[in-house]
Amino acid sequence: MFVVVTDINLVCAKEVAAALEQRNCRAEALAMDVSRAADVETVVNDVAVRHGQLDFIFNNAAVAAVGELRDGNIEDFRRVVDVNLFVVVHGTMAAYRVMLRQGFGHIINVSSVTGFMPGPILSAYSTTKWAIIGFSLGLRAEASELGVKVSVACPGLVQTSIPDRSAYWNVNKEDYLNWLPWRNHMLPAAEAARAILRGVERNREIIVFPFSARVAWRLSRLCPSIFNPLFRRTLRSFRALRLKP
């Protein structure tokens, strides 16, 4: 197995690649701005040529804009869409062309539990995660008879650096992080990766984890309004953090 780790931050990519090497997995790190479609296509094609094939691509990048939409702005909203949604589109389209030529491959796009239930306070983020699920499931139907598999991963809260890359609308970052419900129950990134790989191995259409997220997913499908009282309580609590009324 050979893993290519890409990130706009080459130092971080090298750290991940080095950790893989220590586990007897051959790996390399490449700097790539996934918001640039041409750059993504160049790297994907180069990897496929150098290694003879492209078996998997994991499209995962995200930022957020935290706060109520009434306090937001179009610039932050657009940035969230560009990073969260179009990064997935760029990676998918580049890999899909390669995989169609070779007749096999598996595309894994990372969404979130906020992609199948309302996301107040994270409206821009939730918008992109809903879109990723729809995009991935539509492509899975198109690709199923062409030899290419497509899965979408929908994790619950995972320990990542997203809070450091996010915009905050009329709320202090530290106040929000201290208030954040379930902040002590976030999954370590390594555990999330293992859950995604288990789903990929089984060719799951939608990979939802942990167990609490699967329960929420099923309940929201049975009764879409079931969480509305919880959202109202959450919003009332959050509004105490707003810097300006």
Side-chain angles (χ1 to χ4, degrees):
M1 177 183 292
F2 196 100
V3 177
V4 179
V5 183
T6 65
D7 198 300
I8 195 170
N9 186 329
L10 184 57
V11 173
C12 291
K14 286 182 175 179
E15 290 175 355
V16 174
L20 291 171
E21 292 277 3
Q22 291 176 357
R23 290 167 172 77
N24 298 318
C25 175
R26 293 181 299 159
E28 70 172 324
L30 298 174
M32 183 172 69
D33 183 351
V34 287
S35 68
R36 297 170 58 91
D39 291 359
V40 175
E41 186 165 5
T42 296
V43 170
V44 168
N45 288 335
D46 176 66
V47 168
V49 169
R50 287 193 293 113
H51 297 283
Q53 63 190 57
L54 180 66
D55 297 295
F56 302 93
I57 185 168
F58 294 82
N59 294 308
N60 178 36
V63 294
V66 178
E68 293 188 61
L69 190 64
R70 59 175 167 165
D71 296 317
N73 60 76
I74 194 65
E75 291 78 13
D76 288 336
F77 203 110
R78 189 181 302 279
R79 175 174 176 260
V80 174
V81 173
D82 285 343
V83 173
N84 296 10
L85 177 56
F86 278 99
V87 159
V88 167
V89 173
H90 296 163
T92 296
M93 294 188 74
Y96 191 41
R97 294 188 184 102
V98 171
M99 291 175 178
L100 286 175
R101 289 197 297 267
Q102 64 189 21
F104 62 89
H106 199 150
I107 297 167
I108 301 92
N109 296 327
V110 179
S111 178
S112 164
V113 293
T114 62
F116 51 72
M117 56 197 304
I121 306 170
L122 294 169
S123 56
Y125 181 87
S126 180
T127 296
T128 61
K129 296 306 181 178
W130 280 74
I132 290 169
I133 293 176
F135 171 71
S136 301
L137 298 186
L139 180 60
R140 183 179 173 97
E142 291 182 19
S144 61
E145 295 184 357
L146 302 176
V148 180
K149 302 171 184 176
V150 181
S151 299
V152 58
C154 299
L157 290 173
V158 180
Q159 294 171 3
T160 70
S161 60
I162 287 179
D164 297 328
R165 302 191 302 269
S166 297
Y168 292 85
W169 293 341
N170 197 27
V171 64
N172 180 274
K173 171 185 172 182
E174 296 305 322
D175 289 344
Y176 169 75
L177 294 179
N178 290 331
W179 167 87
L180 186 65
W182 312 295
R183 63 185 179 277
N184 295 322
H185 301 285
M186 291 184 175
L187 282 176
E191 186 175 337
R194 286 191 291 270
I196 291 173
L197 290 175
R198 286 194 297 270
V200 170
E201 186 177 19
R202 296 170 173 81
N203 189 26
R204 298 290 192 198
E205 181 179 48
I206 304 178
I207 305 167
V208 185
F209 63 93
F211 176 75
S212 58
R214 290 197 297 273
V215 171
W217 175 42
R218 292 189 176 111
L219 287 175
S220 65
R221 293 179 68 184
L222 290 171
C223 181
S225 63
I226 193 169
F227 292 109
N228 287 353
L230 173 62
F231 295 146
R232 286 194 291 269
R233 289 196 299 272
T234 300
L235 271 169
R236 284 195 292 268
S237 175
F238 173 81
R239 284 170 175 162
L241 304 179
R242 294 177 74 236
L243 299 176
K244 295 179 181 179

